[in-house]
Amino acid sequence: MTETARTVVFDAPGGPEVMHIVDRPVGEPGPGELRIRHRAIGLNFIDTYQRSGLYPMDLPHPLGMEAAGVIEAVGEGVTHLKPGDRVAYACQPPGAYAEARVMKADQVCPLPGSISFEQGAAMMLKGMTVEYLFHRTTPLKRGDTVLFHAAAGGVGLIACQWARSEGITLIGTAGTDEKCRLALDHGASHCINYRTEDFVARVRELTGGAGVDAVMDSVGKDTFEGSLDCLKPLGMMISFGNASGPVPPFDIGILGRKGSLKLTRPVLFTHLADHKTCQDMARHLFTKVLDGDVTIRIDQRFPLDQVVEAHRALEARTTTGSTILEP
């Protein structure tokens, strides 16, 4: 009999309620593939973009981009992993919200024994996002200043620690004083409560009117224009998410008028598409964790069958740090 695995799927775009659990067959891995038994699953904003239809997908489709577990079998040609290995990954296509799955092996990474499955599931997508923001998007050096929105979220808390370890001044934003304190505790040099302060005016004050070298903005529509106003001339605007909705069309000439600004809209999975780059990024992230520069904070845990409640909490912005699902 073909083995099955409980898997979260959705049949039509919509709110969290469109997700449901089905038993899906899990077969043997083919060439370049492996079968993994998940021990912990990561929850990310991109999952809500896919579920809502912001990022269209062929339906029905499973969800989830990030998990950690144990290899059960490998197909022909897989040389960097073997059955019994502890692993973690963040990659396309979605399908991590499951007890087990068969998937391509290239973006699955060996997980050091001193890093737990929960940490692995909570850190791969978020941590490698921070890795490419700080090391592969625009040149940043010790002494530079960046503005980082949503600094108390899963990506943000890693970014605060990463910046501190690199000697970079990070000015964060968050929606409550409690979240601001959390960002400061994790290495942010300053944190602005955007509900009670004008973050543009505060950034200008903190930088003596100069502005920041780069903005790292996963919020999107609500912060985009203000973020541009926080940059110094020739500064880099990195728009890497849409938590408040996609950035609407705008006149590209505004970049010139505001100081010859640069703008990029990077995607993690472009970097991860190359096997060597993916493995290098993962090793860099693991080194940061093993050296104590970055601690992975997991503030919410939900059983897999409570995935609807998990998505509602994430979209309501009531979560801090990382959230995992337990298969």
Side-chain angles (χ1 to χ4, degrees):
M1 179 181 293
T2 301
E3 183 181 358
T4 63
R6 296 170 67 247
T7 304
V8 175
V9 301
F10 71 116
D11 302 317
E17 67 280 355
V18 301
M19 296 181 293
H20 58 281
I21 293 178
V22 299
D23 288 324
R24 300 188 80 194
V26 181
E28 294 299 316
E33 295 182 332
L34 55 78
R35 186 173 72 242
I36 180 174
R37 177 71 50 178
H38 290 148
R39 298 291 182 84
I41 301 159
L43 184 73
N44 296 281
F45 251 105
I46 191 173
D47 306 343
T48 71
Y49 303 158
Q50 294 165 345
R51 187 214 70 225
S52 70
L54 179 62
Y55 292 176
M57 300 173 63
D58 293 333
L59 299 177
H61 209 290
L63 280 169
M65 311 291 288
E66 176 183 46
V70 176
I71 300 299
E72 291 187 331
V74 299
E76 181 183 354
V78 177
T79 59
H80 71 294
L81 295 168
K82 64 184 184 303
D85 282 351
R86 305 171 76 255
V87 295
Y89 67 85
C91 65
Q92 301 268 29
Y97 288 8
E99 292 175 324
R101 69 186 294 199
V102 169
M103 61 187 296
K104 291 183 179 179
D106 277 355
Q107 281 69 51
V108 180
C109 305
L111 183 68
S114 54
I115 297 178
S116 72
F117 290 117
E118 287 192 348
Q119 289 173 312
M123 71 191 284
M124 294 299 287
L125 192 148
K126 304 168 191 69
M128 290 196 291
T129 293
V130 173
E131 203 274 351
Y132 88 71
L133 289 173
F134 279 85
H135 295 276
R136 301 172 191 271
T137 307
T138 190
L140 290 172
K141 62 185 183 302
R142 183 173 297 273
D144 283 348
T145 300
V146 303
L147 173 65
F148 201 101
H149 291 295
V155 177
L157 291 183
I158 295 174
C160 290
Q161 298 173 82
W162 203 291
R164 179 172 57 188
S165 75
E166 301 279 337
I168 292 169
T169 297
L170 185 144
I171 302 172
T173 71
T176 67
D177 289 343
E178 180 183 16
K179 287 186 175 183
C180 282
R181 285 191 295 271
L182 192 58
L184 292 169
D185 289 344
H186 282 73
S189 301
H190 310 276
C191 195
I192 303 162
N193 183 338
Y194 62 81
R195 297 187 189 278
T196 60
E197 292 187 89
D198 179 338
F199 75 83
V200 177
R202 182 66 175 135
V203 166
R204 287 292 172 180
E205 178 185 348
L206 290 169
T207 60
V212 299
D213 297 283
V215 176
M216 300 175 179
D217 188 340
S218 63
V219 175
K221 175 174 64 69
D222 289 354
T223 52
F224 182 78
E225 290 188 13
S227 292
L228 294 180
D229 289 334
C230 291
L231 285 165
K232 63 175 55 172
L234 304 178
M236 172 64 84
M237 172 67 184
I238 306 170
S239 177
F240 70 100
N242 318 280
S244 67
V247 175
F250 73 101
D251 175 11
I252 195 172
I254 196 173
L255 300 176
R257 294 192 293 272
K258 289 182 180 290
S260 299
L261 304 180
K262 293 166 282 188
L263 168 65
T264 184
R265 199 343 181 156
V267 176
L268 171 64
F269 303 108
T270 306
H271 295 279
L272 300 185
D274 178 76
H275 171 71
K276 182 180 184 302
T277 300
C278 174
Q279 301 296 322
D280 288 346
M281 291 172 68
R283 282 191 290 268
H284 193 180
L285 172 60
F286 295 151
T287 297
K288 286 285 188 184
V289 173
L290 294 172
D291 287 350
D293 291 330
V294 171
T295 299
I296 305 303
R297 182 182 177 116
I298 302 170
D299 287 344
Q300 297 81 211
R301 293 171 172 81
F302 294 87
L304 187 62
D305 59 9
Q306 292 182 16
V307 65
V308 170
E309 289 79 3
H311 270 232
R312 285 175 177 155
L314 185 64
E315 290 183 300
R317 302 190 190 185
T318 59
T319 64
T320 55
S322 296
T323 302
I324 63 166
L325 300 172
E326 299 169 333

